[in-house]
Amino acid sequence: MRKKEQKLVITFHTTADAMAMEKACRESGVPGRLIPVPREISAGCGLAWCAPPDRRESLLEIMSQHGIEQEDLHECMI
């Protein structure tokens, strides 16, 4: 079992935005991964981007540059 850590979880309205986030982060070398939305969070498409909390600003910049719309940002133990 994986040890739970504080993570930044970004939810999206659409699967297309979630997939675009994965592509943009991989191209930019920013760490993170797509995960199913945790139970304690409600989100439109069911996918979320999970990353270290200290990457918040770089992730927001990537979303702005690529026109990716997030539904919400959460910090939670995952």
Side-chain angles (χ1 to χ4, degrees):
M1 179 181 263
R2 185 181 285 189
K3 180 184 169 198
K4 289 189 176 192
E5 298 176 352
Q6 188 76 11
K7 296 287 186 179
L8 177 66
V9 178
I10 304 171
T11 57
F12 304 95
H13 292 287
T14 67
T15 302
D17 279 330
M19 301 302 286
M21 182 68 165
E22 180 179 41
K23 181 179 180 194
C25 287
R26 293 210 193 284
E27 289 173 355
S28 302
V30 176
R33 63 189 177 101
L34 279 179
I35 62 169
V37 175
R39 288 185 191 126
E40 53 274 353
I41 300 171
S42 174
C45 80
L47 291 174
W49 187 254
C50 178
D54 64 342
R55 295 299 185 141
R56 178 186 289 259
E57 294 305 316
S58 59
L59 292 167
L60 291 173
E61 180 66 28
I62 287 171
M63 288 187 289
S64 175
Q65 290 173 355
H66 290 79
I68 300 168
E69 289 187 39
Q70 86 266 3
E71 183 174 342
D72 209 350
L73 291 124
H74 304 269
E75 284 199 27
C76 53
M77 295 296 286
I78 296 181

